[in-house]
């Protein structure tokens, strides 16, 4: 009987420990994740790796405080509630800086993502029109071209000449030149072909122009433009598909 009581008591204690550990498992996982994350960047925070007794210290406001002892630098960072980060471990003496390292890492990662967005593959958007296109449809394509260019894509404007329409080649060429003129500084010419039956001009976005803030488009105007573009049957093909042109 005593053996049964002991076993029951042990099981109760074990269950209590298990429950306690389970309730703290989330905290443990978070701590573990933070530890793993910090372990990836601990080289910059490992002040013990500095062999020199003195360091060149920069404070949180970018002020150079000059030479101080390593221990003094650690104390000053703790007092300011900042991390002490090694900037130049091989300098003599090493250069360290007081900063919020988590914030610094976040901003670095954000800049990296922004850079990756800027280097995204450029697409080639096609806009087709006839040599005798009316003003409304012409305006639809012009607005679409401006939109594509502002989004960082190339634009290929095509005028197809079928059969006897080839007699009006000069009108088609003037139409393409007018289109390019009205696009203006938003794009630069990459290539053109006015010899074949499919006349075209390819324009590349002018990076300096598209960096400038554009006037915000109202929701109503944006929806209207999208409807017009859809109705005009504007096609968009990836650049790699058009590479053989």
């Amino acid at each position: 009987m005593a053996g049964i009581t002991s076993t029951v008591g042990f099981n109760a204690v074990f269950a209590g420990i298990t429950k306690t550990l389970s309730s703290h498992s989330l905290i443990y996982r978070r701590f573990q994740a933070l530890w793993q994350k910090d372990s990836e960047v601990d080289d910059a925070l490992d002040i013990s790796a500095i062999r020199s007794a003195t360091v060149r210290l920069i404070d949180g406001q970018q002020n150079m405080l000059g030479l101080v002892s390593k221990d003094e630098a650690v104390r000053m960072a703790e007092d300011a509630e900042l991390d002490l980060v090694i900037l130049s471990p091989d300098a003599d003496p090493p250069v360290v800086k007081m900063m919020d390292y988590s914030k610094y890492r976040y901003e670095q990662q954000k800049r990296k993502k922004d850079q990756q967005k800027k280097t995204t593959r450029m697409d080639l958007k096609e806009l087709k029109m006839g040599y005798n296109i009316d003003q409304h449809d012409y305006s639809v394509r012009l607005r679409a071209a401006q939109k594509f260019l502002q989004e960082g894509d190339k634009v290929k404007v095509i005028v197809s000449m079928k059969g006897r329409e080839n007699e009006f080649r000069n009108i088609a060429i003037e139409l393409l030149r007018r289109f390019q003129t009205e696009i203006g500084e938003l794009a630069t010419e990459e290539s053109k072909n006015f010899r074949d039956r499919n006349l075209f001009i390819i324009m590349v976005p002018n990076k300096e122009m598209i960096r400038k803030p554009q006037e915000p488009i109202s929701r109503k105007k944006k929806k209207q433009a999208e409807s017009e573009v859809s109705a005009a049957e504007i096609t968009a093909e990836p650049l790699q598909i058009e590479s053989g042109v």
Side-chain angles (χ1 to χ4, degrees), residues 5-242:
T5 304
S6 299
T7 304
V8 172
F10 175 80
N11 288 339
V13 172
F14 182 78
I17 293 172
T18 304
K19 184 177 180 181
T20 302
L21 289 174
S22 177
S23 66
H24 292 291
S25 60
L26 179 59
I27 297 172
Y28 171 75
R29 286 198 299 272
R30 287 179 178 174
F31 173 79
Q32 187 181 42
L34 287 171
W35 180 83
Q36 289 173 344
K37 183 178 179 181
D38 288 343
S39 66
E40 297 173 2
V41 295
D42 59 0
D43 286 348
L45 299 173
D46 188 9
I47 303 300
S48 63
I50 296 178
R51 302 300 180 187
S52 173
T54 58
V55 293
R56 195 175 300 277
L57 179 63
I58 303 172
D59 70 8
Q61 285 73 45
Q62 308 289 335
N63 299 317
M64 176 63 74
L65 302 183
L67 296 178
V68 299
S69 70
K70 184 169 69 172
D71 292 340
E72 178 68 8
V74 171
R75 185 191 63 77
M76 291 175 67
E78 288 176 350
D79 290 345
E81 296 184 350
L82 295 172
D83 301 303
L84 190 61
V85 181
I86 305 170
L87 297 184
S88 303
D90 299 326
D92 186 20
V95 180
V96 297
K97 182 180 178 182
M98 297 158 53
M99 68 170 76
D100 183 338
Y101 194 67
S102 297
K103 182 179 178 182
Y104 168 75
R105 289 281 296 175
Y106 170 78
E107 290 174 349
Q108 264 197 335
Q109 291 169 357
K110 188 172 182 293
R111 279 195 294 269
K112 186 177 179 181
K113 287 180 181 177
D114 290 342
Q115 286 248 316
Q116 289 173 343
K117 287 179 183 178
K118 290 177 182 177
T119 57
T120 303
R121 180 174 61 88
M122 186 182 294
D123 286 343
L124 179 68
K125 308 294 187 179
E126 284 190 358
L127 301 174
K128 296 180 180 180
M129 55 186 178
Y131 76 94
N132 56 349
I133 188 171
D134 63 43
Q135 183 57 44
H136 171 74
D137 289 343
Y138 175 87
S139 298
V140 170
R141 285 156 176 76
L142 182 63
R143 287 196 297 271
Q146 291 168 336
K147 176 179 177 290
F148 292 145
L149 290 165
Q150 287 167 0
E151 291 175 349
D153 293 321
K154 293 183 181 183
V155 171
K156 181 178 182 180
V157 186
I158 305 170
V159 178
S160 298
M161 310 298 291
K162 300 177 182 178
R164 293 184 179 180
E165 290 181 352
N166 198 47
E167 298 175 9
F168 303 99
R169 176 175 296 273
N170 289 339
I171 297 176
I173 292 173
E174 288 302 317
L175 180 66
L176 286 171
R177 286 175 175 164
R178 173 192 167 194
F179 197 96
Q180 184 179 15
T181 299
E182 294 187 6
I183 288 294
E185 296 182 355
L186 191 60
T188 56
E189 179 185 308
E190 182 183 67
S191 63
K192 64 184 176 184
N193 184 349
F194 292 165
R195 296 185 302 276
D196 300 330
R197 286 192 175 274
N198 290 328
L199 288 72
F200 70 82
I201 185 167
I202 298 177
M203 293 174 285
V204 183
N206 183 342
K207 292 181 180 179
E208 294 302 320
M209 291 300 296
I210 63 177
R211 280 176 189 159
K212 294 181 179 179
Q214 303 293 329
E215 182 180 349
I217 303 174
S218 68
R219 188 175 298 178
K220 182 178 180 181
K221 287 184 177 180
K222 185 176 180 182
K223 187 175 181 181
Q224 181 182 355
E226 289 174 350
S227 299
E228 289 175 343
V229 168
S230 177
E233 297 181 353
I234 296 170
T235 62
E237 297 293 340
L239 181 57
Q240 58 187 14
I241 295 177
E242 297 294 332

